[in-house]
Amino acid sequence: MQRLLFPPFRALKGMQCLQLLAPRAAPRAQCDCIRCPLRPGQYSTISEVALQSGRGTVSLPSKAAERVVGRWLLVCSGTVAGAVILGGVTRLTESGLSMVDWHLIKEMKPPTSQEEWEAEFQRYQQFPEFKILNHDMTLTEFKFIWYMEYSHRMWGRLVGLAYILPAAYFWRKGWLSRGMKGRVLALCGLVCFQGLLGWYMVKSGLEEKSDSHDIPRVSQYRLAAHLGSALVLYCASLWTSLSLLLPLHKLPETRPLLRLRRFAHGTAGLVFLTALSGAFVAGLDAGLVYNSFPKMGESWIPEDLFTFSPILRNVFENPTMVQFDHRILGITSVTAITVLYFLSRRIPLPRRTKMAAVTLLALAYTQGCVLFNFIFKISDLDEGIRNI
């Protein structure tokens, strides 16, 4: 009976990856292997003991498995960042409404023959964007915007596969801890929700609005939700991957460190809110209302900030107010990042934390310089058109 329950001591002696099935008083040592084959009736670790009910075995993830999972989530966060960038390019080229239906599998095959392209173009002609904005568009021009939206949708499917397939594999192998399983499930669910939300957003721009002759646009509310969920997915994936890949630095919980941590959390929330306000600017084309900086036209505060009723509606639907809010949030975000950088220099921090603060500051000011250059070019273009 003892031979069945306990492997021979000599066979286990010197093998660091194995642990004896010890009594309760014995300490449990960490195991850094995934699985080690033994003869039937033998057990390599306490975590691999078969349940008496016959449910099978449970294996703990090793450090090597955690590194693999961390690298996988790091790659996934990169694919999400690529999807956000590609979505921005799709918005700038006004290509988002070129595909007028949504099929998970069927639309993966693009039109190949002239007849298929003409049929696709005829479907597009039935919707408001063609009737109001692109009524003189040629088939060649349609192919360009169609391929832009197609590439964005196919990239989204690639992101979904990058999350779901490896997650199923790691789950099957037992490389995910109980807490990590919950995170992975949440990330995969958010990916699926993101795809459905994308079509829900596009659908808002395809609806006929009999009381409006304005340029067809997607709902700014749905656009902000689509971008916001993508940013949450990106941040959650990146944070989880870095928590698995980078060693944890234990610093003394001093008052300056706690203040820095709270300020960093507030700055992150402010940057997120600024990004969401940018989605409202894009959804309303509010960036074209005033193309001067720092003033908006001839004044610091425009007169048409509160033209809608009720007043709260101006925050989300008045292009002037939306652009004004985005400017204030952007300036506040850059200021907060600058303060965060100087606060980090006053505290002894690990090298990678200091590098992160410097990188964040550089990116913030680079973003501001690019935006100012864009505004000045638009202003010069507008002045040139007036002088013609």
Side-chain angles (χ1 to χ4, degrees):
M1 189 66 179
Q2 291 180 350
R3 292 182 178 180
L4 291 175
L5 294 177
F6 298 93
F9 179 80
R10 293 180 179 179
L12 297 177
K13 187 176 181 180
M15 299 178 65
Q16 297 180 357
C17 66
L18 300 181
Q19 182 184 30
L20 290 175
L21 187 61
R24 296 180 180 179
R28 296 185 179 184
Q30 296 292 331
C31 176
D32 196 37
C33 64
I34 297 175
R35 189 178 294 276
C36 186
L38 293 173
R39 295 194 304 271
Q42 292 183 334
Y43 303 99
S44 59
T45 64
I46 293 179
S47 61
E48 294 182 0
V49 176
L51 300 178
Q52 294 181 359
S53 60
R55 295 180 181 177
T57 61
V58 179
S59 57
L60 291 179
S62 66
K63 293 296 182 182
E66 288 184 355
R67 288 193 294 269
V68 172
V69 173
R71 290 167 185 166
W72 159 59
L73 290 176
L74 187 62
V75 172
C76 288
S77 64
T79 61
V80 175
V84 173
I85 295 173
L86 188 56
V89 175
T90 303
R91 178 67 185 87
L92 289 174
T93 56
E94 297 182 346
S95 307
L97 300 178
S98 57
M99 298 180 69
V100 296
D101 51 10
W102 189 87
H103 301 283
L104 183 61
I105 304 298
K106 182 180 178 181
E107 71 180 22
M108 295 180 66
K109 179 181 179 298
T112 54
S113 64
Q114 184 69 16
E115 293 76 12
E116 291 178 348
W117 274 114
E118 290 178 353
E120 189 71 25
F121 191 28
Q122 289 177 2
R123 283 195 292 269
Y124 173 70
Q125 294 173 2
Q126 300 173 8
F127 289 87
E129 185 176 67
F130 177 83
K131 297 177 181 179
I132 299 176
L133 182 64
N134 296 332
H135 51 83
D136 57 347
M137 174 176 283
T138 64
L139 180 60
T140 302
E141 294 171 336
F142 170 72
K143 286 182 180 181
F144 172 77
I145 64 172
W146 192 93
Y147 271 120
M148 286 299 303
E149 173 65 11
Y150 175 79
S151 61
H152 183 50
R153 294 193 184 190
M154 291 304 103
W155 189 269
R157 285 166 171 77
L158 178 64
V159 173
L161 293 177
Y163 274 91
I164 296 174
L165 293 183
Y169 175 78
F170 296 146
W171 195 300
R172 176 73 175 177
K173 296 287 288 185
W175 291 3
L176 303 175
S177 63
R178 180 177 299 179
M180 189 57 61
K181 286 181 179 179
R183 293 188 184 184
V184 169
L185 278 178
L187 292 175
C188 292
L190 189 56
V191 168
C192 298
F193 173 75
Q194 176 75 359
L196 296 175
L197 189 57
W199 170 244
Y200 182 63
M201 176 193 68
V202 171
K203 190 177 179 181
S204 65
L206 300 175
E207 298 172 352
E208 291 278 359
K209 300 177 181 178
S210 57
D211 58 341
S212 175
H213 298 282
D214 196 5
I215 297 175
R217 302 186 184 95
V218 298
S219 168
Q220 68 271 24
Y221 298 100
R222 301 183 190 184
L223 178 59
H226 189 49
L227 176 62
S229 61
L231 293 178
V232 170
L233 178 62
Y234 168 76
C235 294
S237 302
L238 183 62
W239 183 275
T240 305
S241 67
L242 294 181
S243 66
L244 294 174
L245 294 175
L246 299 179
L248 180 63
H249 289 286
K250 295 184 178 180
L251 301 176
E253 297 290 336
T254 60
R255 181 173 298 178
L257 181 61
L258 294 177
R259 186 185 303 115
L260 177 65
R261 185 178 298 165
R262 287 193 295 266
F263 193 83
H265 292 166
T267 303
L270 185 60
V271 172
F272 180 76
L273 187 61
T274 305
L276 289 186
S277 71
F280 280 90
V281 172
L284 293 172
D285 285 333
L288 304 177
V289 178
Y290 290 96
N291 50 25
S292 58
F293 189 87
K295 290 185 177 182
M296 297 180 68
E298 299 297 329
S299 60
W300 291 96
I301 301 178
E303 297 179 355
D304 53 342
L305 285 179
F306 300 99
T307 57
F308 292 0
S309 180
I311 295 179
L312 184 61
R313 184 183 168 196
N314 291 276
V315 179
F316 305 104
E317 299 182 10
N318 184 351
T320 301
M321 174 66 85
V322 168
Q323 186 188 134
F324 181 78
D325 291 343
H326 188 59
R327 291 187 180 208
I328 297 300
L329 287 171
I331 296 172
T332 307
S333 296
V334 173
T335 304
I337 291 173
T338 305
V339 174
L340 180 66
Y341 168 75
F342 284 107
L343 287 178
S344 67
R345 291 178 60 87
R346 300 171 58 183
I347 304 174
L349 297 172
R351 181 175 179 271
R352 71 167 184 251
T353 306
K354 295 182 178 180
M355 289 295 297
V358 173
T359 304
L360 179 62
L361 183 70
L363 290 175
Y365 280 92
T366 301
Q367 174 83 350
C369 291
V370 171
L371 181 60
F372 293 156
N373 185 50
F374 178 76
I375 292 176
F376 293 149
K377 285 186 178 296
I378 293 295
S379 180
D380 293 342
L381 178 62
D382 184 58
E383 187 67 25
I385 293 176
R386 292 179 180 178
N387 294 333
I388 294 177

